[in-house]
Amino acid sequence: MKSRIMIVEPSLTMLYLLENDFRVSDYKADCFSSFEEAQSQFEALPIDSEKIPQAIIIDWPLYPTDASDELLTAFESAEHRHLPVIVLSQEVRSDARAWVAQRPNTTFVLWENHDQLIRLLDGLLDGQSDVKRDRFSTKFANDDIRILVVDDSPSVRVSLRKLLTLQGYRVEVCATGDDALSRAQRGTFDIAVIDFYLVDETGDDVCRKIMTDDRSQRTICTILTGTYSDSIIKKCLRAGAVECMFKDESSELLLARLDALSRVVRAQKNLREDRQRLDEILSAVHDGVYGVNQRGELTFVNRTAKKMLGYAEDESLLGRLAHELFHHSDSLQRFVHIERCHIQYAYEHGVDVEDMDGIFFDVNGTILEVNYSIRPLRLSGNEMGSIVVFSKREERRGLEDQVWQRLAYDELTGLMNRRYFESCLQNEIHRTRRAGFSDNLLVLSLEFDALHGETIDAVSGRELMNTSAQTLSNRFRSSDYLSYFGKGLFALVLSNNSEESASLVVGQLIDDICARIAKGGHYEAHCSGGLVAINDGFNNSAEMINMALLATQMAKRKGHNYLYICATQQFIHCDSVTDKVALPLHKNWRRAH
């Protein structure tokens, strides 16, 4: 028994073609040449009548009438909504596309493909996946997305509003570019869908105005056009549009594009909210905090940092070089080139800096003594910049800082402390420049591990550090420059040594320390070192010490027992060095007098 279908086609020529197509098919076609006749016949049929069609083919009305609207409304009713419907049209119509998108078991076919109707109808009736459309769906409610539709065609505005509203979007429509800009400035729209050819101007001009206005620049603009044109697409993209959509696309493709843009909008909103929460957190921190990218350009500055450095809270510093604002000169207020700045070096190379003393400059050029740390920011294994935390030195140290400035020697090791060593090193710099010696500054970092499941308590830690200091002192005379900075850091001057011979000396010294610590069988030591040539153009001892500390940090990142030589930017594993040559340490570690 043949399945009964209804065909509604006002054009007698087209109706004749359809009758021919279905004459030899398995379908019995009831054909109507007017919407009035079809609507009257369809509504007169009882629900249980054998003449109720099992599927409907309808040519979309070029000019809607009351009868066509009533017929389409009947197809949307609850008792008939299950019927498969194929909508035919000579061209892709936005109102037809919207109606098809919101009705289940419905598909759209251009008239040029009418020879495929029987196959499509078979699929709709049999529920086959090759013709049954996967209706577009989204996992979001979409009520968080506001869309502005700009089109001078009333039918397009109505159909797009209906289509997008059915998907949960909050939609406003307007007809002109001026109205669109006014609405965008007053309201917070996430996406603007703009027709290219408007009555007052083109879509790319509207897009450019929206994107360049501070009140609406966060709106994502897309252009809707009826024709594919390279020149139009280029104009739109150059104006700031992120997408070009075409009126002859299917509803599913248009919705898929808007869904993708909505995900971008949500991601941007989440990012702004995260940034706002981070700003609130950083504002509550008592230390100054700022972030930089690898070029040293500021990415954020908290309120405390601005206040400490004399900047207004609402003053924007983003994108400016931290070197030019905060650390452009040395303690004598002599300009330090950015390539010679050890802090800039840490930004560029992702060096982790812990608890450094230094100077920053405020907005008026006044020196600010600070203690700072630099933390590299790594996301998914990629270097993304650094975060700098700093505080005023007198606020941080208080009474401890006053005592520290009075003392010249470290209480634990009996060696010079950093302040005294820094002043002695300044004299050594002048002496080296006058005499032309090849002297080097070495900073060693020592770390200890307990063996056999033991632990290192505070007493054992002090004993291990003191043993290491004694090992170094045995290689030195009291008149030589040897210092303990604290936290396992030693600094010493290697007099009359090239970088190559100095690296050999360091290798033997590390071996001596490791052997001394391992002698008892309870602990092992790991050393890392940074070597800087004293005559390498540094302005002062503090700058040189900071560079040596940075080099030590880089050596620690490389692994245990590595030395980083700044002059050659070379890593040397000291275990392998000492196998090659043995130098008389007592000669190489003593200064000429």
Side-chain angles (χ1 to χ4, degrees):
M1 182 176 177
K2 291 188 175 183
S3 298
R4 183 181 293 273
I5 64 172
M6 170 185 281
I7 298 177
V8 185
E9 173 52 69
S11 168
L12 294 177
T13 302
M14 299 301 186
L15 184 59
Y16 176 76
L17 289 175
L18 293 176
E19 287 176 334
N20 279 340
D21 288 342
F22 283 93
R23 185 170 290 119
V24 295
S25 70
D26 293 331
Y27 295 99
K28 177 177 175 55
D30 296 326
C31 300
F32 300 90
S33 60
S34 72
F35 292 105
E36 290 80 1
E37 182 184 4
Q39 187 266 338
S40 175
Q41 178 71 22
F42 187 76
E43 288 196 345
L45 293 173
I47 295 297
D48 56 351
S49 173
E50 295 180 350
K51 294 184 179 181
I52 287 287
Q54 294 176 275
I56 298 163
I57 298 174
I58 183 171
D59 193 343
W60 190 257
L62 184 60
Y63 302 104
T65 64
D66 290 343
S68 66
D69 287 344
E70 290 177 7
L71 184 59
L72 293 173
T73 300
F75 294 159
E76 293 183 82
S77 64
E79 60 266 27
H80 300 306
R81 194 169 174 80
H82 67 283
L83 290 176
V85 174
I86 297 178
V87 174
L88 282 170
S89 181
Q90 294 284 358
E91 61 183 12
V92 177
R93 297 278 302 276
S94 57
D95 50 352
R97 185 169 62 183
W99 190 83
V100 169
Q102 55 86 31
R103 189 185 186 279
N105 212 19
T106 307
T107 191
F108 180 90
V109 178
L110 288 171
W111 248 108
E112 62 190 41
N113 299 320
H114 71 90
D115 56 342
Q116 300 180 22
L117 286 175
I118 294 175
R119 182 181 66 83
L120 290 170
L121 200 55
D122 290 341
L124 286 171
L125 290 172
D126 295 340
Q128 299 299 318
S129 60
D130 61 332
V131 293
K132 185 178 179 181
R133 293 182 301 112
D134 289 327
R135 301 190 55 77
F136 180 81
S137 62
T138 174
K139 66 179 181 179
F140 297 103
N142 288 333
D143 57 354
D144 59 329
I145 303 296
R146 295 190 65 200
I147 297 180
L148 176 64
V149 175
V150 189
D151 201 299
D152 53 11
S153 168
S155 62
V156 172
R157 293 198 300 273
V158 170
S159 62
L160 284 180
R161 181 201 287 270
K162 184 175 183 181
L163 174 65
L164 300 180
T165 302
L166 286 170
Q167 294 296 319
Y169 294 108
R170 292 185 291 162
V171 184
E172 289 189 26
V173 299
C174 62
T176 66
D178 287 341
D179 194 7
L181 181 60
S182 177
R183 289 171 182 261
Q185 291 170 342
R186 294 196 310 269
T188 306
F189 288 99
D190 301 301
I191 301 171
V193 180
I194 308 168
D195 185 24
F196 185 78
Y197 291 109
L198 299 171
V199 292
D200 55 344
E201 56 188 324
T202 55
D204 61 317
D205 290 333
V206 179
C207 174
R208 187 177 291 105
K209 291 177 182 178
I210 291 176
M211 297 298 294
T212 55
D213 192 291
D214 291 339
R215 292 165 290 182
S216 57
Q217 61 182 355
R218 287 183 177 176
T219 302
I220 294 178
C221 292
T222 69
I223 301 297
L224 187 65
T225 178
T227 57
Y228 183 94
S229 167
D230 286 345
S231 61
I232 289 177
I233 294 174
K234 289 178 182 177
K235 286 181 181 179
C236 297
L237 295 179
R238 288 171 180 169
V242 300
E243 184 76 86
C244 282
M245 300 185 291
F246 304 97
K247 293 183 178 180
D248 59 353
E249 292 176 340
S250 67
S251 299
E252 287 74 20
L253 182 54
L254 182 144
L255 292 174
R257 291 179 186 271
L258 288 175
D259 186 62
L261 293 177
S262 298
R263 291 197 297 271
V264 174
V265 169
R266 293 187 182 97
Q268 292 177 345
K269 286 182 177 179
N270 290 336
L271 186 61
R272 287 195 294 268
E273 290 172 0
D274 290 343
R275 184 64 175 269
Q276 185 175 1
R277 283 193 291 269
L278 177 60
D279 288 342
E280 293 300 323
I281 293 172
L282 293 177
S283 298
V285 175
H286 295 299
D287 289 337
V289 183
Y290 66 85
V292 294
N293 58 24
Q294 284 190 284
R295 295 185 298 275
E297 297 167 341
L298 290 166
T299 56
F300 69 85
V301 185
N302 77 339
R303 295 175 190 169
T304 306
K306 287 184 176 181
K307 183 177 180 181
M308 291 170 62
L309 297 168
Y311 292 93
E313 186 174 317
D314 58 352
E315 185 172 355
S316 177
L317 304 179
L318 305 187
R320 300 178 65 179
L321 288 172
H323 174 78
E324 294 179 353
L325 295 178
F326 308 149
H327 45 82
H328 46 73
S329 303
D330 62 17
S331 58
L332 300 178
Q333 297 190 333
R334 294 174 300 191
F335 175 73
V336 176
H337 195 277
I338 192 169
E339 294 180 355
R340 301 291 303 172
C341 177
H342 61 274
I343 299 180
Q344 179 71 23
Y345 185 90
Y347 300 157
E348 295 176 355
H349 294 82
V351 179
D352 195 332
V353 178
E354 177 70 31
D355 200 25
M356 283 259 195
D357 289 327
I359 58 169
F360 282 178
F361 290 84
D362 67 13
V363 67
N364 299 316
T366 303
I367 291 178
L368 189 70
E369 293 191 3
V370 297
N371 180 272
Y372 65 91
S373 297
I374 302 175
R375 295 285 184 271
L377 183 61
R378 300 182 180 93
L379 298 178
S380 301
N382 297 318
E383 300 281 354
M384 303 299 293
S386 301
I387 297 174
V388 181
V389 181
F390 69 95
S391 60
K392 290 183 180 179
R393 192 185 300 171
E394 62 271 17
E395 292 178 356
R396 179 179 179 275
R397 293 180 180 269
L399 181 61
E400 178 188 353
D401 186 58
Q402 298 176 21
V403 175
W404 177 81
Q405 292 186 39
R406 290 198 302 268
L407 297 177
Y409 293 93
D410 175 71
E411 183 178 359
L412 173 64
T413 63
L415 303 177
M416 292 181 183
N417 63 14
R418 177 171 175 172
R419 181 59 62 90
Y420 188 28
F421 179 82
E422 191 172 311
S423 63
C424 293
L425 180 60
Q426 189 66 51
N427 295 330
E428 187 70 10
I429 291 174
H430 296 317
R431 188 187 70 84
T432 300
R433 288 176 177 172
R434 290 195 306 268
F437 294 143
S438 297
D439 290 358
N440 292 275
L441 170 64
L442 171 69
V443 171
L444 283 179
S445 174
L446 302 187
E447 295 177 343
F448 307 104
D449 288 333
L451 304 177
H452 314 302
E454 298 182 18
T455 58
I456 301 178
D457 55 22
V459 175
S460 299
R462 288 195 294 269
E463 290 178 353
L464 291 170
M465 202 59 66
N466 198 32
T467 299
S468 301
Q470 290 176 4
T471 303
L472 289 172
S473 298
N474 291 337
R475 301 293 186 182
F476 246 54
R477 296 183 303 185
S478 60
S479 58
D480 290 326
Y481 298 145
L482 173 61
S483 173
Y484 180 60
F485 286 2
K487 297 184 178 181
L489 290 171
F490 292 86
L492 50 153
V493 174
L494 303 181
S495 301
N496 297 325
N497 279 276
S498 64
E499 286 87 355
E500 181 178 359
S501 62
S503 66
L504 298 173
V505 170
V506 174
Q508 290 190 14
L509 184 60
I510 289 177
D511 277 355
D512 281 1
I513 294 174
C514 292
R516 179 76 180 272
I517 298 300
K519 189 174 182 180
H522 299 285
Y523 308 100
E524 63 178 359
H526 305 296
C527 303
S528 303
L531 190 69
V532 178
I534 290 180
N535 59 356
D536 203 14
F538 291 95
N539 292 320
N540 55 64
S541 58
E543 183 181 343
M544 182 179 298
I545 289 172
N546 284 335
M547 182 57 74
L549 287 167
L550 289 175
T552 304
Q553 293 282 354
M554 295 181 69
K556 289 177 68 174
R557 289 175 56 186
K558 185 72 174 176
H560 293 321
N561 301 336
Y562 273 93
L563 172 70
Y564 182 77
I565 302 177
C566 289
T568 60
Q569 296 185 7
Q570 181 182 10
F571 288 99
I572 295 179
H573 195 269
C574 295
D575 288 346
S576 60
V577 168
T578 54
D579 292 336
K580 296 180 180 179
V581 65
L583 297 181
L585 291 181
H586 63 282
K587 294 181 179 179
N588 285 278
W589 285 78
R590 298 171 188 246
R591 291 191 302 152
H593 291 281

